[in-house]
Amino acid sequence: MRYWLMKSEPSVFTIEELEKAPNKTVDWIPTKGIRNYQARNFMRDDMSLGDLAFFYQSNCDTPGIVGIMEITKLAYPDPLQFLKGNKYYDPKSSPDNPRWLNVDITLVKKLPLIELKKLRNYSELKDMMILRKGNRLSITPVSQKEWLFINTIL
DNA sequence: GCCAACGTTGGC
DNA sequence: GCCAACGTTGGC
């Protein structure tokens, strides 16, 4: 079992919206395709059912962790890539050989906001990819140690 | 809104 | 296969 951190911009999708979704489950992120090979490879190669992920809100006034989610559907082709005219349409992808994938996630629980500023305070977390300068990857692995530690500072 | 950091694209 | 140009991300 692995642990992850997945980013969403509140202007695109919030944890409140996730909470209101049927069964608190959505494809990640509704209306927005993941178009990054590293993130895709993590989903395709390393994610398992039951893996847990932090919901991280980015590009906003208070970036940080706001919840815990579970992976409830393994990687499958992202339908947006086949929709002509859609922002995430990819003419180089085909149903036979889809280029982009997505997973479904289910909200486990909301957390009180753990701000990025706070995460930076702990030497235990200094290796987290989210804390690296210039980090832009929307899905990053979290080690078990980091996961457990963050659960102790809620 | 700024801008550094990064990924992708495409000409050569 | 290199690398400049470009677009995007995201903290501040």
Side-chain angles (χ1 to χ4, degrees):
Chain A
M1 147 141 190
R2 295 175 194 249
Y3 302 93
W4 305 94
L5 181 145
M6 298 168 78
K7 292 182 195 172
S8 178
E9 302 183 28
S11 62
V12 176
F13 184 66
T14 64
I15 194 162
E16 285 75 23
E17 290 173 86
L18 173 56
E19 199 172 29
K20 287 181 203 148
N23 302 317
K24 301 186 180 184
T25 300
V26 298
D27 55 311
W28 187 257
I29 299 169
T31 76
K32 190 176 183 196
I34 296 175
R35 296 292 180 267
N36 172 283
Y37 288 104
Q38 257 185 292
R40 179 204 67 183
N41 293 349
F42 280 139
M43 291 192 286
R44 184 189 62 195
D45 303 333
D46 299 320
M47 272 190 184
S48 307
L49 289 178
D51 281 4
L52 296 175
F54 287 125
F55 187 122
Y56 178 91
Q57 60 181 22
S58 65
N59 203 10
C60 58
D61 289 345
T62 53
I65 291 169
V66 292
I68 293 177
M69 315 180 283
E70 179 181 346
I71 310 301
T72 47
K73 185 175 176 183
L74 288 176
Y76 58 91
D78 172 8
L80 298 180
Q81 69 196 305
F82 306 128
L83 296 181
K84 257 192 187 134
N86 188 282
K87 184 180 176 189
Y88 297 99
Y89 175 65
D90 184 346
K92 292 178 183 167
S93 184
S94 71
D96 291 344
N97 187 19
R99 176 180 291 195
W100 304 113
L101 304 174
N102 205 343
V103 294
D104 285 359
I105 57 88
T106 301
L107 180 66
V108 175
K109 61 176 171 180
K110 283 173 74 176
L111 298 175
L113 170 68
I114 311 169
E115 285 195 60
L116 176 60
K117 268 189 293 187
K118 184 174 179 186
L119 295 175
R120 291 195 191 284
N121 289 339
Y122 301 101
S123 62
E124 290 89 341
L125 303 178
K126 64 176 172 17
D127 294 329
M128 283 189 78
M129 289 180 74
I130 192 72
L131 301 183
R132 283 188 207 159
K133 196 174 182 182
N135 161 67
R136 291 170 44 185
L137 198 52
S138 65
I139 298 177
T140 51
V142 173
S143 76
Q144 186 179 41
K145 272 187 183 171
E146 290 159 352
W147 181 273
L148 294 174
F149 181 77
I150 290 170
N151 275 274
T152 68
I153 59 169
L154 297 178

